């Protein structure tokens, strides 16, 4: 039988959604004011245009911020309006009218599901594209980067193909002391070395300088080829040297999965950033259900002293949850837990807390 919302369902859902939108708009407005005051000197110094500031930065910053702090918005929203309902004896009237505590939770869960769906859609489709523009703006007008340089680079670019680079510099897109080894059956088949490998953006290939190619044979003599210049195409591009923990925030789901597969194959330590980002996109929306149940359980009783304590407790628990989410990433960085376990751990812990509070609330 299809569930049909009653007047009380629409009443609670409307309060939930309206309070969520109002709290979100207020907090975003405050955050933008503080962000402008912090970055205004950088905007002026780097001659950022008003159009770029508004459309490239802040319009793309807003969905990123909303999604990051959506657990806080949900928790504060439910704490606030449910406390007001309890203080006005509306909860007592609802339960006295024959509606069970479990039935009263239905509009809360439906509203939380809508917010969770919105958060998931933002995570998977909107925010990656928005982050690409926002991060590019920050690189141009806010953050000041020194010359990029990476050293001692080791990649498996394909099965049996390994690249070694002494160091890479971005101002001329040059990899110094370049080595490419091909291995079959645990034996080196060929080894290419070059004093430098320069990226050609037009042909998207590497131009080797002062190169030697040694092909190992079963005989007494190996074949050696050398030269001054040589163009070669391998499964390594200039973008691989500029990837960092921010880059993964700009990739849609399909490209993020492809990057994880490539980085795993290469043995790239940076794969943990991509794995964290992929897992976070799914764990964060789930928090809307957990924090909604906790907030209702904490505030559905009428208490002396008004709603002040409820709001204080709600903010404290929400901030602890967000802190727990960030702290759980440290388990991945240290290699203690895989991303799939580490980032779901806060949700598991808070689900248990929510279940206990929910069982105690009707009593």
């Amino acid at each position: 039988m299809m569930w049909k919302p009653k007047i009380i369902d629409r009443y609670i859902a409307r309060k939930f959604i309206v309070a969520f939108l109002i709290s979100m708009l207020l907090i975003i407005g405050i955050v933008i004011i503080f962000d402008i005051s912090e970055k205004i000197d950088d905007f002026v110094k780097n001659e950022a245009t008003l159009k770029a500031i508004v459309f490239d930065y802040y319009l793309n910053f807003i969905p990123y911020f909303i999604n990051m702090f959506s657990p806080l918005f949900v928790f504060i929203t439910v704490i606030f309006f449910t406390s007001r309902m309890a203080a006005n004896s509306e909860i007592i009237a609802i339960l006295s009218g024959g509606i069970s505590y479990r039935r009263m939770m239905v509009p809360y869960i439906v509203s939380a599901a809508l917010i969770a769906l919105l958060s998931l859609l933002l995570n998977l489709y909107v925010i990656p594209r928005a982050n690409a523009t926002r991060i590019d703006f920050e690189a141009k007008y806010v953050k000041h980067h020194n010359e990029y340089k990476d050293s001692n680079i080791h990649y498996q670019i394909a099965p049996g193909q390994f690249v070694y680079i002494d160091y890479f510099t971005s101002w001329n897109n040059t990899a110094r002391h370049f080595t490419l080894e091909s291995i079959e059956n645990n034996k080196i088949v060929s080894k290419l070395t070059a004093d430098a490998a320069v990226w050609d953006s037009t042909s998207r290939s590497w131009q080797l300088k002062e190169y030697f190619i040694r092909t190992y044979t079963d005989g007494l003599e190996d074949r050696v080829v050398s030269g001054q210049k040589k163009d070669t195409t391998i499964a390594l591009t200039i973008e691989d040297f500029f990837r960092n923990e921010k880059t993964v925030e700009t990739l849609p789901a399909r490209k993020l999965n492809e990057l994880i597969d490539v980085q795993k194959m290469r043995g790239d330590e940076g794969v943990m950033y991509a794995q964290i980002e992929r897992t976070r996109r799914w764990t964060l929306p789930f928090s809307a259900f957990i924090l909604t149940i906790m907030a209702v359980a904490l505030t559905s009783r009428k208490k002396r002293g008004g709603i002040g304590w409820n709001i204080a407790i709600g903010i404290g628990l929400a901030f602890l949850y967000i802190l727990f989410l960030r702290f759980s990433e440290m388990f991945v960085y240290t290699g203690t837990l895989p991303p799939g376990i580490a980032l779901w751990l806060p949700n598991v812990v808070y689900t248990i807390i929510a279940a206990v509070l929910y069982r105690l609330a009707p009593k």
Side-chain angles (χ1 to χ4, degrees):
M1 182 177 180
M2 183 179 295
W3 172 73
K4 294 182 179 181
K6 298 182 179 179
I7 295 176
I8 188 62
D9 296 319
R10 293 193 293 269
Y11 177 74
I12 292 176
R14 183 171 63 252
K15 278 182 169 291
F16 194 149
I17 300 300
V18 171
F20 175 78
L21 293 175
I22 292 174
S23 65
M24 183 177 62
L25 290 174
L26 288 175
I27 295 175
I28 287 175
I30 294 171
V31 169
I32 289 177
I33 291 172
F34 278 102
D35 192 70
I36 291 175
S37 64
E38 179 185 353
K39 296 184 173 67
I40 187 66
D41 291 337
D42 291 321
F43 293 159
V44 174
K45 181 179 179 181
N46 296 301
E47 300 179 349
T49 64
L50 180 61
K51 179 181 178 182
I53 293 172
V54 174
F55 292 98
D56 292 345
Y57 183 61
Y58 282 109
L59 282 185
N60 293 300
F61 172 79
I62 289 173
Y64 169 78
F65 180 83
I66 289 174
N67 189 68
M68 178 184 295
F69 291 98
S70 59
L72 178 62
F73 296 147
V74 169
F75 207 39
I76 292 177
T77 295
V78 179
I79 286 283
F80 179 77
F81 84 82
T82 305
S83 295
R84 292 291 300 271
M85 290 177 62
N88 295 332
S89 300
E90 293 180 65
I91 301 294
I92 295 175
I94 291 172
L95 298 177
S96 300
I99 296 177
S100 66
Y101 195 86
R102 179 181 296 180
R103 177 62 181 80
M104 187 189 70
M105 288 294 299
V106 172
Y108 284 98
I109 298 301
V110 172
S111 300
L114 292 175
I115 294 173
L117 180 61
L118 173 63
S119 177
L120 184 61
L121 293 175
L122 286 174
N123 270 334
L124 296 180
Y125 301 106
V126 178
I127 291 178
R129 294 180 176 86
N131 281 343
T133 305
R134 177 182 62 85
I135 292 173
D136 182 62
F137 177 92
E138 290 177 344
K140 290 179 179 178
Y141 301 112
V142 180
K143 297 180 181 179
H144 308 285
H145 298 288
N146 296 324
E147 176 188 349
Y148 180 87
K149 186 175 181 179
D150 202 355
S151 58
N152 297 322
I153 301 168
H154 304 268
Y155 280 147
Q156 179 181 348
I157 61 173
Q161 285 192 328
F162 298 86
V163 166
Y164 306 92
I165 296 169
D166 192 9
Y167 65 94
F168 174 83
T169 52
S170 63
W171 68 272
N172 57 358
N173 292 337
T174 300
R176 294 290 180 180
H177 302 152
F178 178 90
T179 301
L180 174 63
E181 292 183 349
S182 297
I183 299 176
E184 293 180 3
N185 299 323
N186 297 323
K187 292 182 180 181
I188 298 179
V189 177
S190 65
K191 183 175 182 179
L192 183 155
T193 59
D195 182 64
V198 181
W199 176 254
D200 187 340
S201 59
T202 303
S203 62
R204 295 191 63 80
S205 63
W206 295 95
Q207 186 180 81
L208 306 179
K209 296 184 178 181
E210 302 290 341
Y211 70 91
F212 291 85
I213 302 176
R214 180 183 294 272
T215 302
Y216 297 90
T217 64
D218 295 332
L220 299 177
E221 295 183 359
D222 299 329
R223 293 193 299 269
V224 177
V225 178
S226 62
Q228 296 295 316
K229 292 182 180 181
K230 179 180 176 63
D231 292 333
T232 183
T233 302
I234 58 176
L236 183 71
T237 65
I238 193 69
E239 289 82 7
D240 292 314
F241 296 97
F242 290 92
R243 288 199 180 101
N244 53 38
E245 63 273 18
K246 288 288 185 181
T247 305
V248 297
E249 297 178 5
T250 68
L251 300 177
R254 182 178 59 82
K255 290 187 177 181
L256 185 62
N257 291 331
E258 291 175 356
L259 175 62
I260 291 173
D261 293 338
V262 170
Q263 289 182 321
K264 281 183 177 180
M265 184 265 297
R266 292 178 175 177
D268 191 340
E269 293 181 355
V271 68
M272 63 182 176
Y273 298 115
Q275 291 175 323
I276 288 173
E277 176 66 19
R278 181 174 65 180
T279 309
R280 186 195 294 134
R281 293 181 184 183
W282 289 93
T283 57
L284 200 60
F286 188 74
S287 65
F289 297 102
I290 302 172
L291 297 181
T292 296
I293 294 172
M294 287 182 60
V296 176
L298 285 170
T299 57
S300 55
R301 283 188 178 185
K302 186 175 182 179
K303 296 181 181 179
R304 294 180 180 179
I307 65 174
W309 276 109
N310 289 340
I311 294 176
I313 293 172
I315 292 175
L317 287 173
F319 271 114
L320 284 175
Y321 177 78
I322 295 173
L323 182 63
F324 195 179
L325 284 175
R326 296 300 178 186
F327 183 76
S328 65
E329 296 178 8
M330 296 303 298
F331 295 129
V332 183
Y333 297 144
T334 58
T336 306
L337 293 173
I341 296 177
L343 271 73
W344 277 102
L345 185 60
N347 281 343
V348 172
V349 172
Y350 266 68
T351 297
I352 296 173
I353 295 173
V356 172
L357 292 175
Y358 177 75
R359 289 181 64 86
L360 295 176
K363 301 177 182 179

